[in-house]
Amino acid sequence: MEVGNYSVMPEIVLVGLTSSLEMQLVLFVVFSMFYIASVLGNLLIVLTVISDSHLHSPMYFLLANLSFIDVWVSSIAAPKLISDLFKERKVISFQGCIAQMFFIHVIGGTEMVLLIAMAFDRYVAICRPLHYLTIMNFRTCILLLVASWTIGIIHSWIQLVFVVNLPFCGPNEVDSFYCDLPRFIRLACTDTYRLELMVTANSGFISVGTFLILIISYIFILVTVWQRSSGGLSKALSTLSAHITVVVLFFGPCIFVYSWPFPTVPVDKFLAIFDVFITPFLNPAIYTFRNREMKVAMEKLFSQVLSFRKLF
């Protein structure tokens, strides 16, 4: 990808969230705690799944990959936001801004497809249990993972290939704490209406489309369980309610930002906090700490670590 004319705009100013010193201190503490907890929690899930042979199943394979992605979801924008809180002038280079947007959409697109893969895994496990191991074999899991990353990369590339060559010669201030396409495109010194529609159609379609696919799949699973056994409905509801919670929190901000031509209200940058901090933090709690097998495996992992430390 060849970057276009950025010599006239070597850096971009990020407005951030607040200029109040008291609020900056509060946000620094809160965001730092959420970021550290989400990274450590998700890395713990990955390590637990890798280390425990009882968790080497399709469901936990996909869960570990979701946790791996969530580490990146937090790490793309959160560290800079935290470090910028006490800076009077918050800036990012043009190249850094392009890179941030690229990885945000790669990771975001990948996670959306991976959530569909996880919903498909639950559908097969609940609705076709006798064929589960045949359908969700190792080859299928790898194909789903490769498809997730491929779609994420293509989704991001298609948008940025048109954005990097835009002429930038005017204001360089973005009313947000990170770089993203809607506000970045509005800095260009040209008519970007068609490009805005393309980005809205691309990101908006994948956000709304994925959200609808997931909700329909969950409804279909619940109806199937209800038809087979009313007793199993409560258990299925308990399991899927956690998935639906994550889906709503993850897709809500995405749909708000991308489902119509770019909003002028600043609320989207506050909704983005959910995707950067809240959702990656909740995933370990919702998907893992309510799961008995994961809790047992984590306890075993902690015991092994403590035993290893006693040897030294």
Side-chain angles (χ1 to χ4, degrees):
M1 183 186 300
E2 182 180 352
V3 179
N5 179 18
Y6 59 83
S7 59
V8 295
M9 193 172 66
E11 63 183 20
I12 295 172
V13 178
L14 302 174
V15 173
L17 295 175
T18 180
S19 58
S20 168
L21 184 61
E22 292 78 9
M23 278 302 300
Q24 287 175 345
L25 181 60
V26 172
L27 293 177
F28 177 82
V29 174
V30 173
F31 289 164
S32 297
M33 291 175 59
F34 270 97
Y35 175 64
I36 293 171
S38 64
V39 170
L40 292 180
N42 283 297
L43 288 178
L44 177 61
I45 293 174
V46 174
L47 182 60
T48 303
V49 172
I50 292 174
S51 63
D52 196 315
S53 59
H54 295 94
L55 300 181
H56 293 174
S57 65
M59 181 180 75
Y60 292 111
F61 173 82
L62 296 174
L63 177 60
N65 278 278
L66 178 66
S67 294
F68 175 76
I69 290 174
D70 277 335
V71 173
W72 288 101
V73 169
S74 295
S75 300
I76 292 172
K80 178 162 180 58
L81 168 60
I82 293 171
S83 64
D84 280 349
L85 280 172
F86 296 107
K87 292 180 180 177
E88 184 176 348
R89 192 166 182 268
K90 306 168 179 62
V91 297
I92 184 172
S93 67
F94 184 89
Q95 299 96 319
C97 188
I98 293 294
Q100 194 175 63
M101 290 189 295
F102 176 76
F103 287 111
I104 283 173
H105 284 270
V106 168
I107 297 300
T110 301
E111 180 160 355
M112 289 180 187
V113 181
L114 189 60
L115 287 171
I116 293 178
M118 294 178 69
F120 176 71
D121 172 76
R122 291 300 84 206
Y123 162 77
V124 176
I126 294 173
C127 300
R128 303 188 63 184
L130 298 179
H131 300 88
Y132 179 73
L133 293 178
T134 303
I135 297 174
M136 292 301 298
N137 52 43
F138 179 74
R139 182 173 177 271
T140 303
C141 292
I142 295 298
L143 287 175
L144 289 172
L145 185 62
V146 171
S148 299
W149 282 100
T150 302
I151 292 174
I153 292 171
I154 293 174
H155 158 69
S156 183
W157 186 270
I158 287 175
Q159 297 178 110
L160 286 183
V161 74
F162 294 102
V163 170
V164 293
N165 289 314
L166 286 173
F168 296 96
C169 55
N172 66 334
E173 188 175 272
V174 173
D175 185 17
S176 185
F177 61 88
Y178 72 108
C179 286
D180 201 5
L181 287 168
R183 296 187 181 277
F184 179 81
I185 289 177
R186 299 181 68 176
L187 299 178
C189 304
T190 185
D191 182 13
T192 58
Y193 178 73
R194 292 183 179 180
L195 186 57
E196 290 176 5
L197 288 181
M198 185 275 291
V199 172
T200 301
N202 189 324
S203 295
F205 175 78
I206 193 173
S207 299
V208 176
T210 304
F211 178 76
L212 291 177
I213 290 172
L214 289 170
I215 295 300
I216 291 171
S217 68
Y218 293 147
I219 293 173
F220 187 81
I221 291 172
L222 291 174
V223 170
T224 303
V225 173
W226 176 71
Q227 290 176 341
R228 291 183 178 180
S229 171
S230 58
L233 183 61
S234 60
K235 184 178 180 180
L237 272 172
S238 176
T239 301
L240 293 181
S241 62
H243 293 240
I244 294 172
T245 301
V246 172
V247 166
V248 171
L249 289 175
F250 178 78
F251 284 95
C254 294
I255 293 173
F256 181 86
V257 173
Y258 294 112
S259 60
W260 59 80
F262 306 149
T264 55
V265 293
V267 69
D268 59 326
K269 68 178 180 180
F270 294 100
L271 288 175
I273 293 174
F274 279 91
D275 280 344
V276 175
F277 292 100
I278 308 301
T279 305
F281 171 79
L282 288 179
N283 277 353
I286 290 176
Y287 280 107
T288 304
F289 300 133
R290 294 176 50 180
N291 185 301
R292 184 176 179 276
E293 288 182 322
M294 283 296 297
K295 287 190 289 187
V296 170
M298 286 180 178
E299 290 173 0
K300 186 188 301 183
L301 178 62
F302 285 132
S303 298
Q304 292 174 350
V305 172
L306 291 175
S307 300
F308 180 78
R309 289 186 62 185
K310 288 179 181 179
L311 295 176
F312 297 92

